[in-house]
C-alpha cells in the first residue's frame, strides 16, 4: 500500500497537473499585477534578499529566475541525459526526426522574428525569444486532449521539447554572459568534476551532493554565466544506467523525487513573478502594432508550426528519418502547433534580452502566442483524438 505522500508526488508528476498549476500561477500573476494591489505585487517581486558577497543580493523575482529555474533545468538535464543514453535519442533512426524538427522549430521562428522586426535595436538578442517550447505546458495540453493518440506521439513531442530546451540553454549560455569571472568559473568546473567523480565511484549520500550542487550554482552565478546552466550541467553528469542489483539509476531516482518540486513549486513560482504584466487597452494595442512583440507572436505561432512540420516533412521526404509509429501527418501538424507554446523559457529569455519596458511587451506577446498555440493545438488534437478512437486515419 502506497503512502499519501507518494500518491501526491505521483499526482504531481503527471503532465496534466503540472500544466494546470502553471496555468493557475500565471492567472494569479496577471490578476494580482492588474488589481488595486498591483503595486504590492511589484514591490514584493523587486524586494532584494541576500548578501552582496558573490553577487547574491538578488530580488525575489531574480531568485525565482536564477535559483528555482535551476531546479527545472536540472530535471530537464536529467531527462536529456536519459533520452541521449537509454531513451529515444539514443537510437539514430528514432532520434533524427525530433532533432531535425526541433532545429527547424528554432531556426524558422528566429529567422521570421528577425525579418519582421528588422532594424529594431533590441533584436540582437530578442530573436531568441520564440525559439523555445515549454515542456510542461505542451505535454499538459497533450495529456488533456489526446489520450487516444499513440504513445509515440508523446515521445516525439518530449524528444523535440528536450532538444529544443538544449538549444535554448546554449543560446542562454552564449548570448547572456555579460561578464566572466575566471576564478568562479574554475571553482564551478572543479565542483562539476568532483560531482562526476562521485557519480563514477557510485557514491550515493545526499550529504555530499546537496552542498556540492549549491557550490556549483553559486560559482556559476558568480562567474557571470546564467545560473540555470549549473542545473543542466549537473543533470547531464548524473548516471542513467543502473548497476547490477540496483533498482533505479540515480538520474531516474532524482527525476522522480525532484520533478514534483519542479512542477509544483519551481516553475509556478517563476511564472508568478515573471507573468505579472500590466495589461490594458493601450498596452495590448502596442503589442499588436509594434514590430518586436509582433515578431515574437508570429515567430511562436507561425514560425514554430512551419519550422517543425516543414523540417519533419523534408526529413521524411529525403528519407533521412521516419515518422513515429502510427502517427500521421495530421497528428504531427497538431504537435507542431503545440510547439508554439513558448512560455517558461521564452519568458526567461525576454527578461534576459530586453530592458524592462520592452520586456513587458515581449512577455505579453509570449503569453498571447502561447495561449493561441495551445488552444489551436487543443482543437486539432481533440479531433485527432476522436479519429484515433474510431480508427480513422
Amino acid at each position: 500500500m502506497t503512502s499519501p505522500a507518494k500518491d501526491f508526488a505521483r499526482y504531481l508528476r503527471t503532465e496534466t497537473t503540472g500544466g494546470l498549476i502553471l496555468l493557475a500561477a500565471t492567472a494569479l500573476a496577471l490578476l494580482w499585477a492588474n488589481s488595486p494591489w498591483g503595486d504590492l505585487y511589484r514591490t514584493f517581486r523587486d524586494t532584494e534578499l541576500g548578501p552582496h558577497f558573490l553577487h547574491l543580493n538578488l530580488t525575489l523575482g531574480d531568485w525565482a529566475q536564477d535559483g528555482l529555474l535551476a531546479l527545472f533545468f536540472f530535471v530537464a538535464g536529467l531527462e536529456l541525459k536519459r533520452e541521449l543514453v537509454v531513451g529515444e535519442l539514443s537510437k539514430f533512426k528514432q532520434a533524427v526526426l525530433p532533432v531535425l524538427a526541433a532545429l527547424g522549430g528554432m531556426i524558422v521562428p528566429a529567422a521570421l522574428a528577425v525579418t519582421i522586426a528588422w532594424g529594431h535595436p533590441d533584436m540582437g538578442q530578442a530573436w531568441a525569444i520564440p525559439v523555445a517550447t515549454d515542456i510542461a505546458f505542451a505535454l499538459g495540453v497533450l495529456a488533456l486532449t489526446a489520450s487516444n493518440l499513440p504513445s509515440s506521439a508523446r515521445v516525439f513531442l518530449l524528444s523535440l521539447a528536450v532538444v529544443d530546451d538544449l538549444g535554448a540553454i546554449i543560446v542562454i549560455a552564449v548570448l547572456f554572459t555579460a561578464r566572466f569571472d575566471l576564478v568562479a568559473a574554475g571553482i564551478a568546473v572543479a565542483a562539476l568534476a568532483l560531482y562526476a567523480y562521485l557519480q563514477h565511484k557510485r557514491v550515493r549520500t545526499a550529504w555530499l551532493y546537496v552542498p556540492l550542487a549549491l557550490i556549483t550554482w553559486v560559482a556559476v552565478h558568480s562567474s557571470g554565466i546564467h545560473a540555470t546552466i549549473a542545473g543542466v550541467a549537473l543533470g547531464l553528469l548524473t548516471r542513467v544506467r543502473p548497476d547490477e542489483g540496483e533498482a533505479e539509476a540515480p538520474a531516474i531516482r532524482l527525476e522522480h523525487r525532484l520533478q514534483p518540486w519542479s512542477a509544483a513549486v519551481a516553475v509556478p513560482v517563476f511564472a508568478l513573478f515573471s507573468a505579472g504584466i500590466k495589461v490594458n487597452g493601450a498596452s495590448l494595442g502596442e503589442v499588436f502594432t509594434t514590430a518586436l512583440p509582433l515578431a515574437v507572436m508570429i515567430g511562436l505561432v507561425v514560425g514554430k508550426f512551419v519550422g517543425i512540420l516543414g523540417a519533419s516533412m523534408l526529413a521524411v521526404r529525403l528519407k533521412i528519418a521516419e515518422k513515429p509509429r502510427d502517427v500521421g501527418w495530421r497528428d504531427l501538424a497538431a504537435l507542431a502547433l503545440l510547439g508554439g507554446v513558448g512560455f517558461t523559457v521564452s519568458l526567461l529569455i525576454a527578461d534576459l534580452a530586453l530592458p524592462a519596458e520592452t520586456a513587458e511587451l515581449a512577455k505579453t506577446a509570449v503569453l498571447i502566442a502561447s495561449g493561441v498555440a495551445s488552444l489551436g493545438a487543443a482543437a486539432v488534437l481533440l479531433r485527432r483524438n476522436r479519429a484515433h478512437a474510431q480508427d480513422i486515419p
Side-chain angles (χ1 to χ4, degrees):
M1 187 173 177
T2 59
S3 69
K6 286 185 178 178
D7 288 339
F8 186 61
R10 190 180 299 110
Y11 175 68
L12 288 175
R13 276 197 292 272
T14 65
E15 289 92 357
T16 309
T17 309
L20 289 174
I21 295 172
L22 182 55
L23 189 61
T26 305
L28 176 59
L30 285 167
L31 288 170
W32 189 2
N34 292 280
S35 74
W37 303 281
D39 288 339
L40 177 63
Y41 168 84
R42 284 174 280 279
T43 301
F44 182 55
R45 181 193 61 194
D46 298 334
T47 298
E48 204 170 275
L49 188 68
H52 284 265
F53 180 63
L54 299 176
H55 309 286
L56 293 176
N57 53 320
L58 304 175
T59 65
L60 290 176
D62 287 336
W63 275 112
Q65 183 186 102
D66 291 6
L68 288 178
L69 274 196
L71 175 61
F72 165 78
F73 278 104
F74 178 63
V75 174
L78 293 173
E79 287 183 343
L80 178 61
K81 178 74 176 285
R82 176 168 49 80
E83 290 294 323
L84 287 169
V85 177
V86 297
E88 293 298 319
L89 298 179
S90 66
K91 301 162 189 169
F92 182 77
K93 276 277 188 182
Q94 292 174 331
V96 169
L97 190 63
V99 168
L100 292 178
L103 288 173
M106 289 185 280
I107 293 167
V108 175
L112 199 54
V114 169
T115 303
I116 292 167
W118 184 260
H120 192 286
D122 292 316
M123 278 310 289
Q125 293 180 324
W127 61 264
I129 297 171
V131 304
T133 294
D134 189 281
I135 295 176
F137 243 133
L139 290 176
V141 172
L142 186 68
L144 279 168
T145 59
S147 57
N148 292 317
L149 256 68
S151 60
S152 52
R154 182 192 178 280
V155 170
F156 172 82
L157 182 62
L158 176 61
S159 302
L160 182 149
V162 166
V163 175
D164 198 298
D165 271 1
L166 177 61
I169 288 158
I170 293 168
V171 166
I172 290 168
V174 172
L175 284 187
F176 305 111
T177 301
R179 56 182 174 78
F180 188 71
D181 187 315
L182 194 58
V183 174
I187 293 170
V189 169
L192 289 169
L194 180 56
Y195 182 92
Y197 176 78
L198 293 173
Q199 284 287 299
H200 177 69
K201 289 297 182 181
R202 304 314 194 248
V203 175
R204 294 182 59 171
T205 176
W207 293 105
L208 279 174
Y209 285 120
V210 172
L212 194 55
L214 290 173
I215 290 168
T216 304
W217 181 89
V218 171
V220 171
H221 172 76
S222 299
S223 73
I225 301 169
H226 198 268
T228 52
I229 304 301
V232 181
L234 290 166
L236 291 174
L237 291 172
T238 305
R239 185 165 55 87
V240 295
R241 292 187 189 277
D243 288 335
E244 189 176 344
E246 192 176 28
E248 287 181 320
I252 308 301
R253 191 164 57 249
L254 282 168
E255 195 176 333
H256 281 189
R257 288 179 183 174
L258 296 177
Q259 201 276 340
W261 289 99
S262 174
V265 179
V267 176
V269 171
F270 166 74
L272 179 66
F273 283 118
S274 190
I277 303 156
K278 287 198 78 171
V279 179
N280 52 44
S283 64
L284 283 176
E286 201 171 347
V287 166
F288 287 97
T289 56
T290 306
L292 192 144
L294 265 176
V296 170
M297 283 192 291
I298 295 171
L300 279 169
V301 177
V302 178
K304 277 287 186 183
F305 176 74
V306 172
I308 292 169
L309 188 60
S312 299
M313 294 180 78
L314 188 63
V316 171
R317 184 70 59 88
L318 296 175
K319 300 189 176 179
I320 300 170
E322 297 174 356
K323 276 191 304 176
R325 189 178 64 258
D326 300 325
V327 174
W329 284 117
R330 292 179 185 179
D331 301 322
L332 279 176
L335 296 175
L337 270 175
L338 202 47
V341 181
F343 210 79
T344 307
V345 181
S346 291
L347 291 176
L348 172 62
I349 294 174
D351 270 329
L352 294 174
L354 299 169
E357 191 174 334
T358 313
E360 291 274 300
L361 291 175
K363 290 198 287 185
T364 304
V366 168
L367 294 178
I368 293 170
S370 297
V372 169
S374 58
L375 290 172
V380 179
L381 283 167
L382 285 169
R383 292 189 64 179
R384 296 306 303 151
N385 196 50
R386 287 194 293 270
H388 278 279
Q390 299 166 14
D391 289 325
I392 300 170

